[in-house]
Amino acid sequence: MKNRNIVYSTDQGRLCPDCEQPTSECQCQSTEVIGDGNVKIALETKGRKGKGVTTVKGLPLNESELKSLAKKLKAQCGTGGSVKEGQIEIQGDNRQKLKTLLEKEGYSSKFVGG
């Protein structure tokens, strides 16, 4: 049960809504695995004004591991990107490069979509 309704503190920064700890020290999100292990790589252009974005879904990682892997993949591809809703988004068509990089990390993946 929450004993306070603070979501931001000037001395600690943002607080986790579940455990009420600073987000840098949050324990409740670090253990939850997001993906199912069925890694899929796709190119999406819908809703992006024609710009292609390569998405990687299904990685069996928690949020912090997913962000660190995304940072490594973005650096290897030389592009920008982000982590949204449990999937990694890398700008541009980098499907083949991402497949080889993920295989080096130990994840088997497959292409989906056309």
Side-chain angles (χ1 to χ4, degrees):
M1 206 64 197
K2 288 186 181 181
N3 56 3
R4 61 183 182 184
N5 290 327
I6 298 175
V7 293
Y8 187 85
S9 173
T10 55
D11 59 328
Q12 295 177 344
R14 289 222 171 264
L15 302 176
C16 175
D18 296 325
C19 64
E20 296 183 357
Q21 297 295 320
T23 54
S24 60
E25 300 171 8
C26 177
Q27 299 298 319
C28 61
Q29 294 178 348
S30 62
T31 59
E32 183 181 333
V33 175
I34 297 172
D36 58 359
N38 189 8
V39 183
K40 298 176 183 175
I41 302 172
L43 180 68
E44 294 182 0
T45 56
K46 188 173 184 178
R48 302 178 193 276
K49 298 181 182 177
K51 304 286 185 181
V53 174
T54 306
T55 60
V56 181
K57 302 176 187 176
L59 288 164
L61 302 171
N62 61 36
E63 189 72 25
S64 62
E65 292 171 336
L66 201 61
K67 286 182 181 181
S68 65
L69 179 62
K71 184 175 181 179
K72 187 184 295 186
L73 293 175
K74 289 189 297 183
Q76 292 292 322
C77 291
T79 62
S82 64
V83 176
K84 293 182 182 173
E85 300 172 0
Q87 70 181 13
I88 298 175
E89 296 181 352
I90 305 291
Q91 294 174 355
D93 186 3
N94 293 302
R95 290 177 286 185
Q96 192 61 46
K97 188 180 281 189
L98 286 174
K99 184 168 177 67
T100 58
L101 292 171
L102 287 172
E103 286 174 358
K104 286 181 184 176
E105 294 288 325
Y107 300 107
S108 62
S109 59
K110 61 182 175 181
F111 297 123
V112 294

